[in-house]
Amino acid sequence: MNTLLQQRGIMVVVTRAVLVVPSTTYRADGFFRAAASMGIEVAIASDADLAIGAMRTAGSRAKSGALGVVKVCLEDPEGAADVIERFARSTPLDAVVGVDERAGMVANAAAMRLGLPHNPPGAIAASRDKIAMRAAAARGGINQPELRVVTTVDDAREAARSIGLPCVVKPASLSGSRGVIRVDEERDLPGTLERVRKVLAAAGEDPCSPVLLEKFVPGAEVAVEGILDGGRLLPIAVFDKPDPLDGPYFEETLYVTPSRHEPAVLRRVLDAAEAAALALGLERGPVHAELRIDRGQPFFIELAARSIGGYCSRSVVAEGSWTLEELILSNSLGWELPSLPEDSAQLVIGASGVMMIPIARSGVLQSVEGLVSARSVPMVTEVTIAVHSGQPVVALPEGDRYLGFIFARGPSAAEVEGAIRDAYAELDIRIVDVPGPIVE
Ligand code: ADP
Ligand code: CA
């Protein structure tokens, strides 16, 4: 069709993007669909042949006109950027987009080489290292918990005395609350530090690396899902986390939007999230920020250069509006993003929520009963169990996954929250002991 038009002397503007897709992701499909709906041709950069085969199928299924596939090593962003740069010599590109945070580092390095819009080098890396992130936020004057970087038990004691208890000990390099532990008594510090070190080792990180000791900030927690456009934060949704997150471990269970905090408080939260992103040097792309609100004042907890994790992106999609992936693609192409609906502080209209079903204790998942009843609770749109029966499950602070997800959509945040809780109450989750010792 395009060739025909070109033969007739009609100029056809084709938009092309490379999607950087890790073999382990389940998020590629949403991006293929978005590209297809926006008329964008996509090529795929991935780290596995197998994935590439699957992507080809997914690409053609989504009619996104996959342009080709290139193999890259995602552990080596500069090497991967080389490959994409070479590819761009024969196939001019308008954008390079990572479908998750790690792929985003590769996409950013490639976009920089190609003279496409990108974040300053180092900004995404800073957001992945909590010590660098805290230092950048401090330089930017962001309100955040008082903290120290500690290595030894003596450091930790001294830090706790100076900051005051309760405090939170956490690794600099992990995510999903892995290894994040509240400490109330000084005598618990050595054991907690030891436990964090074991979690680091199990995650393949240096167990001796410095960790953070932060003042525990009480109060409600919110997550801000947004997209940076030239340094301005466009709020996609602010989620309340209505389950108290008081520790000692910090399982995030419920996310519900819109937030029920006062508009003035929400304004401060959004301003703080935007300022934190800028302090890290981020100017564009999706961000997921977490903040605590203590007596109306936001305290910055963390910010990641990615959209809301995994399955949760589904709760962002509002009927008939932009999908998260469409927003991300448009942003990376420098296209105009939608403006906020009238009288709304966020793009997402209507109430929705998700529960990341917690793993109550470590063991082996024996069975999950009650799925049919849970799914039939009004307003519940989906209940997914992500672990097979017979598989081991590990609770926090050592664990690194959820048991599954419950999604709901409804007229108000309170009703959505109620529906999710009702659905959860229908589930009978049986976890039995692991035969033999649990390896932590
Ligand atoms: P991760 O990257 O592992 O998610 P976070 O820094 O986001 O690490 O910590 C996980 C959770 O632990 C947060 O969502 C919050 O509930 C809790 N938390 C972390 N730091 C603090 C703090 N200083 N005060 C209170 N709660 C905290
Ligand atoms: Ca977090």
Side-chain angles (χ1 to χ4, degrees):
M1 157 88 128
N2 288 354
T3 342
L4 205 83
L5 292 175
Q6 272 155 351
Q7 277 166 4
R8 290 181 184 162
I10 298 168
M11 218 181 79
V12 177
V13 182
V14 181
T15 306
R16 296 196 181 94
V18 163
L19 281 183
V20 184
V21 181
S23 54
T24 47
T25 193
Y26 40 79
R27 301 203 49 191
D29 251 9
F31 280 93
F32 286 124
R33 248 177 266 125
S37 78
M38 295 163 69
I40 300 169
E41 292 185 356
V42 292
I44 298 143
S46 185
D47 55 353
D49 293 323
L50 222 167
I52 287 171
M55 298 303 160
R56 274 207 181 103
T57 325
S60 55
R61 209 175 44 229
K63 294 194 183 54
S64 58
L67 284 172
V69 281
V70 286
K71 189 163 178 180
V72 292
C73 171
L74 296 177
E75 301 302 327
D76 172 18
E78 292 305 325
D82 277 343
V83 177
I84 296 172
E85 195 182 6
R86 277 200 297 279
F87 176 79
R89 286 190 201 130
S90 55
T91 312
L93 296 172
D94 302 292
V96 188
V97 186
V99 307
D100 65 12
E101 194 182 359
R102 193 161 59 107
M105 303 248 312
V106 168
N108 198 60
M112 192 167 125
R113 305 275 191 94
L114 297 171
L116 298 170
H118 61 274
N119 276 308
I124 301 179
S127 72
R128 285 165 63 93
D129 171 355
K130 287 193 172 58
I131 295 175
M133 188 183 65
R134 287 297 192 204
R139 283 194 300 276
I142 309 300
N143 193 38
Q144 62 179 353
E146 201 182 333
L147 68 120
R148 300 280 186 280
V149 176
V150 302
T151 307
T152 63
V153 170
D154 283 347
D155 288 351
R157 275 205 192 95
E158 209 182 301
R161 278 178 201 154
S162 127
I163 292 176
L165 292 164
C167 62
V168 171
V169 179
K170 64 174 145 181
S173 55
L174 301 183
S175 57
S177 302
R178 246 180 128 184
V180 181
I181 305 175
R182 170 172 161 159
V183 179
D184 288 281
E185 309 276 350
E186 193 178 308
R187 63 166 184 273
D188 294 334
L189 274 172
T192 304
L193 208 60
E194 185 58 30
R195 197 164 178 193
V196 173
R197 301 224 169 284
K198 278 193 187 148
V199 174
L200 275 165
E205 303 278 323
D206 176 7
C208 304
S209 56
V211 301
L212 289 151
L213 188 142
E214 299 183 351
K215 177 96 184 155
F216 175 80
V217 181
E221 188 163 315
V222 289
V224 175
E225 182 73 10
I227 193 152
L228 287 167
D229 195 13
R232 297 300 311 250
L233 181 78
L234 174 66
I236 297 172
V238 179
F239 290 89
D240 285 340
K241 303 187 185 185
D243 276 342
L245 284 156
D246 290 332
Y249 317 125
F250 298 90
E251 246 161 9
E252 0 205 23
T253 54
L254 264 174
Y255 268 58
V256 181
T257 194
S259 169
R260 282 162 275 174
H261 287 286
E262 295 284 318
V265 171
L266 280 180
R267 192 61 262 159
R268 287 198 282 274
V269 163
L270 289 171
D271 288 347
E274 181 180 88
L278 297 196
L280 282 165
L282 293 168
E283 292 160 8
R284 52 192 315 105
V287 292
H288 174 83
E290 285 160 352
L291 301 101
R292 286 255 171 165
I293 304 167
D294 185 18
R295 285 161 284 172
Q297 288 312 314
F299 280 72
F300 171 58
I301 297 293
E302 73 156 344
L303 184 142
R306 60 167 172 82
S307 56
I308 191 170
Y311 284 106
C312 306
S313 64
R314 290 189 212 165
S315 70
V316 169
V317 187
E319 213 67 54
S321 78
W322 293 52
T323 66
L324 190 59
E325 291 82 3
E326 284 168 354
L327 289 170
I328 294 171
L329 275 176
S330 294
N331 174 254
S332 67
L333 286 160
W335 293 0
E336 205 176 324
L337 295 178
S339 33
L340 289 181
E342 217 151 291
D343 296 332
S344 174
Q346 63 181 38
L347 280 183
V348 167
I349 311 164
S352 58
V354 56
M355 175 190 265
M356 286 149 259
I357 304 173
I359 292 171
R361 68 183 189 100
S362 297
V364 169
L365 180 67
Q366 191 181 47
S367 58
V368 180
E369 308 284 341
L371 276 166
V372 173
S373 324
R375 287 184 180 126
S376 62
V377 170
M379 286 179 274
V380 167
T381 53
E382 186 178 336
V383 182
T384 303
I385 301 300
V387 179
H388 294 295
S389 297
Q391 278 186 332
V393 286
V394 184
L396 277 175
E398 283 80 19
D400 66 349
R401 60 192 302 193
Y402 301 108
L403 199 91
F405 303 87
I406 302 171
F407 295 93
R409 186 172 284 284
S412 73
E415 286 159 284
V416 164
E417 180 184 336
I420 294 176
R421 290 194 192 284
D422 288 349
Y424 179 62
E426 293 293 336
L427 296 179
D428 181 8
I429 300 164
R430 296 242 162 100
I431 295 172
V432 294
D433 289 337
V434 184
I438 298 174
V439 183
E440 284 185 349

